[in-house]
Amino acid sequence: MRHGPLKVSRGAERLSLVLLALTCTGHSTAPPSGGGGPPGTQDWTRFGWDAGGSNAPPIATGITAANVATLVRQQVAIDGTVDASAIYLHRVPVNGGTHDVFFVTTTYGKTLAIDAQNGVVLWRYTPANYASWAGSAQVTTATPVADPNRQFVYAAAPDGAIRKLTVADGSVVWTTAITLLPGREKIASALNYFNGRVIATTTGYIGDAPPYQGHVAVLDGATGNLVSVWNSLCSDRPGLIDPASCSQSGSGIWGRTGAVIDSSSGTIFVATGNGLWDGGTNWGDAALELDADATHLIGNYTPTNTAALNAGDTDLGSTSPVLLGGGLIAQGGKDGLIRVLDWGAMSGVTPHQGGEGQLTSTPSGGDLFSSPAVLRGATGTWLFAADGGGTAAWRLSNGQLQPVWANQNAGTSPVIADTLLFVYDPNGGGLRVYRSDTGVQLADLACGGGHWNSPIVIDGKIALPEGNSNAHATSGVLDIWRLP
């Protein structure tokens, strides 16, 4: 039985009333109207909802301020820890039946299809070398991505490979490695998909043990062919390189969203971590724009204190670039700052140091490891972010982020759905649900602790994995909340 469906007319009427009420008070933050049909007709195909990683689905989800506190949790025990997010496909053929399905990838590379209605594991794919990684520090924290045809999902594993799996039974269609040294180079960030291609990034492991380089890999979704690889160090050398053959190590691409795609052009935005920046062939601690084929750089930014960031282990790329719209980019970092950049001034291969339009603090002034949510619509552009000591909302006005509300609740990557903001506190604080315009807390859904994990909200359900990849566990929990 489907939980909490809304008819289109009721959903539109409710949203119109919210928009009117908020506008009259001068605090209109309601999301774009819920196009695309009622709950039960939508998918959540990747981390961050869309190719640009907005974390703001412009649809009715079936969960509202009136019913969020009535949600009922099911704890699904799984044979792995998912230090990432789930994705979701509605009414797809699996094992000869039709199911609503959550897909997750565990830290040791198992990918599971889980029935969203009852929590039953419909199939699992286990890489052949799983036993050699299980319990070790060699992991992946990547969220899978679904093919738009809804017949396949793409998933990462600790062997540095991407696999195309069938939705129907989890069988492997192709396997392609995107690193020559998986013991040093990790697929930490979410996978993305655009225009028939899978886009993935690499980084190093905790401790920055050399050699490794952050790079962007583009794969043909149909064949698995590695179309191109752009290296953020030794960037004059295309394709997969032996990490030891580059004179520099570091510059990992490890923000939770990984590669962010501008869907209007297909260009790829990434941010790099600690590493040498010379404005020529080495691009550590930088926000970067690549062409849609990931063959060359077309825009770049680094702060004026790049060398100090590198020396102090203060990665600029602890989070991915955020597309604010209107040519503006927001870039957070481990130095407790969010930078607003006029990207038009950062275009071209000429190196750009400094030139920020604004510097503002992260929610608590601490490291930003999560991916902010950005809501763009007729009511304006809003940014929501959470870090280890706070959650905050800003409104964009004349190219500046103006603070609206903040609290001291920690959080991972937030999701804004309808008028609600969902933020998971990995320190055991639960999944908090706020009014997006005021920050008033509406619910605190109890759950266990975690690390990078973040929720998805779709079809009258919430899915949130628990657990921390650094615990090296081979078991975990997927929480599913449903309307009663």
Side-chain angles (χ1 to χ4, degrees):
M1 182 179 69
R2 197 166 296 281
H3 298 281
L6 293 176
K7 295 181 180 179
V8 175
S9 57
R10 283 188 63 193
E13 179 182 16
R14 179 180 290 113
L15 190 56
S16 297
L17 290 173
V18 172
L19 282 166
L20 177 62
L22 292 175
T23 302
C24 291
T25 61
H27 295 288
S28 178
T29 70
S33 59
T41 64
Q42 297 290 336
D43 300 326
W44 193 299
T45 62
R46 72 194 88 202
F47 179 89
W49 170 257
D50 52 25
S54 69
N55 265 317
I59 60 170
T61 65
I63 296 176
T64 68
N67 65 28
V68 65
T70 70
L71 291 166
V72 177
R73 177 176 61 148
Q74 179 186 12
Q75 294 174 282
V76 179
I78 56 178
D79 51 339
T81 298
V82 179
D83 198 348
S85 296
I87 62 173
Y88 173 83
L89 296 177
H90 77 281
R91 297 192 62 76
V92 287
V94 179
N95 292 341
T98 300
H99 301 265
D100 296 333
V101 185
F102 292 119
F103 300 88
V104 294
T105 297
T106 71
T107 55
Y108 296 119
K110 290 186 178 182
T111 294
L112 284 66
I114 299 171
D115 192 301
Q117 302 296 347
N118 56 28
V120 171
V121 176
L122 299 170
W123 57 253
R124 65 172 49 78
Y125 166 74
T126 304
N129 292 327
Y130 169 83
S132 67
W133 314 313
S136 77
Q138 188 169 337
V139 299
T140 182
T141 54
T143 297
V145 64
D147 193 291
N149 67 18
R150 311 177 75 242
Q151 297 177 30
F152 307 100
V153 295
Y154 305 89
D159 59 356
I162 309 296
R163 289 173 175 83
K164 182 178 185 176
L165 307 175
T166 61
V167 165
D169 60 11
S171 57
V172 179
V173 179
W174 53 250
T175 301
T176 302
I178 64 168
T179 172
L180 299 178
L181 190 62
R184 286 287 185 269
E185 292 187 332
K186 173 175 61 173
I187 306 173
S189 305
L191 307 184
N192 211 337
Y193 185 101
F194 189 77
N195 197 26
R197 294 173 172 180
V198 180
I199 303 94
T201 64
T202 66
T203 185
Y205 281 87
I206 292 175
D208 294 330
Y212 72 92
Q213 293 85 33
H215 57 248
V216 179
V218 178
L219 299 86
D220 185 292
T223 66
N225 290 339
L226 193 58
V227 176
S228 62
V229 176
W230 184 84
N231 301 294
S232 64
L233 300 176
C234 295
S235 65
D236 56 331
R237 298 172 56 188
L240 284 183
I241 62 175
D242 176 357
S245 71
C246 180
S247 62
Q248 297 296 321
S249 179
S251 190
I253 301 171
W254 57 283
R256 299 311 305 142
T257 315
V260 175
I261 312 297
D262 181 344
S263 59
S264 66
S265 63
T267 61
I268 301 168
F269 288 84
V270 294
T272 59
N274 299 324
L276 176 67
W277 181 92
D278 61 17
T281 60
N282 297 295
W283 300 94
D285 285 307
L288 305 166
E289 182 184 13
L290 307 175
D291 71 299
D293 295 324
T295 60
H296 62 276
L297 198 66
I298 58 177
N300 68 91
Y301 157 81
T302 194
T304 56
N305 64 336
T306 306
L309 294 179
N310 183 29
D313 187 27
T314 319
D315 304 54
L316 180 76
S318 62
T319 187
S320 300
V322 178
L323 307 182
L324 293 174
L328 298 178
I329 302 289
Q331 180 62 55
K334 282 173 68 175
D335 60 355
L337 294 174
I338 298 174
R339 300 157 174 86
V340 178
L341 309 170
D342 179 349
W343 199 252
M346 307 298 167
S347 63
V349 296
T350 300
H352 302 286
Q353 262 192 306
E356 303 86 357
Q358 181 188 12
L359 296 174
T360 190
S361 173
T362 58
S364 71
D367 305 357
L368 187 65
F369 295 118
S370 61
S371 290
V374 60
L375 179 64
R376 299 184 296 271
T379 61
T381 297
W382 288 66
L383 184 73
F384 303 88
D387 61 21
T391 300
W394 299 261
R395 189 169 187 175
L396 188 66
S397 178
N398 296 320
Q400 302 282 296
L401 292 174
Q402 305 293 339
V404 178
W405 59 261
N407 61 43
Q408 296 180 337
N409 295 333
T412 61
S413 304
V415 167
I416 181 166
D418 294 329
T419 58
L420 306 182
L421 186 72
F422 298 79
V423 185
Y424 170 54
D425 183 345
N427 302 319
L431 177 61
R432 297 187 176 94
V433 186
Y434 305 97
R435 277 190 51 154
S436 61
D437 60 329
T438 64
V440 170
Q441 185 170 309
L442 302 173
D444 188 352
L445 306 177
C447 55
H451 185 221
W452 300 132
N453 339 64
S454 55
I456 64 171
V457 184
I458 190 78
D459 194 12
K461 295 179 279 290
I462 303 171
L464 172 68
E466 298 179 4
N468 187 334
S469 58
N470 297 319
H472 305 154
T474 55
S475 62
V477 170
L478 176 69
D479 290 317
I480 303 174
W481 286 269
R482 307 180 187 88
L483 294 171

